Amino acid sequence: MKKTYKIEVDCANCANLMEDAAKKTSGVKDATVNFMALKMIVEFEEGKEPGAVMEDVLKACKKVEPDCEIFL
């Protein structure tokens, strides 16, 4: 399952760091961050609950970019 989330991030480099952090999160099959559109597209692994996985994604992204926001 794929879902799109609105994000708030300050620079393209930070968006790349967020994308890498999201991809490494358990339950995420793939993730793409579009800095220009301020969107994150996340593809979840089969059987994973998107809400719980996205909480972990947000925590991982906050570690690399404390000012970022993902609107769940």
Side-chain angles (χ1 to χ4, degrees), residues 26-43:
S26 176
V28 174
K29 187 173 181 182
D30 193 26
T32 306
V33 173
N34 184 323
F35 172 67
M36 295 303 289
L38 293 178
K39 295 196 184 298
M40 175 184 279
I41 301 168
V42 180
E43 184 176 356

Side-chain angles (χ1 to χ4, degrees), residues 46-69:
E46 195 70 36
K48 297 291 184 178
E49 175 56 44
V53 172
M54 284 308 295
E55 286 183 25
D56 292 339
V57 168
L58 180 58
K59 287 178 192 171
C61 288
K62 290 264 187 197
K63 286 180 184 175
V64 296
E65 180 51 46
D67 293 340
C68 76
E69 281 297 331

